[in-house]
Amino acid sequence: DAKTTQPNSMESNEEEPVHLPCNHSTISGTDYIHWYRQLPSQGPEYVIHGLTSNVNNRMASLAIAEDRKSSTLILHRATLRDAAVYYCILRDDNAGNMLTFGGGTRLMVKP
Amino acid sequence: ETGVTQTPRHLVMGMTNKKSLKCEQHLGHNAMYWYKQSAKKPLELMFVYSLEERVENNSVPSRFSPECPNSSHLFLHLHTLQPEDSALYLCASSQEGPDLAGGQFRNIQYFGAGTRLSVL
């Protein structure tokens, strides 16, 4: 799997937007960009994924750069419950069903 | 509740004990996974089962023995563990291949809450 680079930690204020960056300069044409997050004392949970176009769902938005070498997960209004480790993962659907987790970004949300 | 249930949630065992971790998924998925999450390390994939066949064994020591009796259940049998095996063990499931009905995405992994294992 191509590697991703994320900041180790970020801080946000409650009810403000949060932009979590991810660099993936060696992404291949068939790699999907997946985001998962892991809340304290829980397993990871799926957040969103995309290939080329920006994506929105009830949890977040995913903005993908035109060259696909970077992406940004956007939480529109951070809440205390969004404090978690956020993982950006590349997955080639044609190359098996494995996810390779990196260190992720630890998001801290201040009240 | 993600539809993936792991038991027990916590386990303490001695190095000579034999124990088993259980995972059950209620999502109708056809693939199941075991991951290990040690302190200050990324999640490590241990085993992958697809259609009840083991398709990946990520260089895991033989003291960890997986079993997948059917598509809904996955076990991890433990014996003669070492203290460095203390970690959070996570199970996940996914639908690989054709989409499921009901809007579920294929290839998305759904995780259980994990079993916190301490080896003394």
Side-chain angles (χ1 to χ4, degrees), chain A residues 36 38 44 46 91 93 97, chain B residues 33 37 96 107-109 111:
Chain A
Y36 283 73
Q38 187 172 17
Y46 166 78
R91 177 183 161 143
D93 280 5
N97 47 9
Chain B
Y33 312 78
Q37 188 172 32
E96 303 299 318
N107 302 337
I108 301 303
Q109 292 189 17
F111 286 79

Side-chain angles (χ1 to χ4, degrees), chain B residues 6-8 11 13 18-24 33-37 44 46-49 54 57 60-69 73-79 81 85 87-91 115 117:
Chain B
Q6 290 188 242
T7 54
L11 179 62
M13 59 187 289
K18 290 183 180 181
K19 297 285 185 184
S20 295
L21 309 185
K22 179 182 176 182
C23 176
E24 183 173 1
Y33 312 78
W34 280 116
Y35 289 85
K36 174 184 178 182
Q37 188 172 32
E44 302 169 64
M46 299 176 73
F47 302 103
V48 180
Y49 277 82
R54 191 191 309 180
N57 178 346
V60 178
S62 60
R63 57 186 183 269
F64 295 91
S65 174
E67 178 190 2
C68 187
H73 293 87
L74 185 65
F75 294 89
L76 188 62
H77 303 299
L78 316 171
H79 64 96
L81 293 193
D85 297 321
L88 180 68
Y89 289 85
L90 290 156
C91 172
T115 296
L117 174 66

Side-chain angles (χ1 to χ4, degrees), chain A residues 68-88:
Chain A
R68 298 207 330 123
K69 293 185 176 182
S70 66
S71 60
T72 302
L73 180 71
I74 302 166
L75 307 180
H76 295 286
R77 286 184 65 203
T79 69
L80 297 178
R81 291 175 57 190
D82 291 321
V85 178
Y86 287 78
Y87 299 99
C88 170

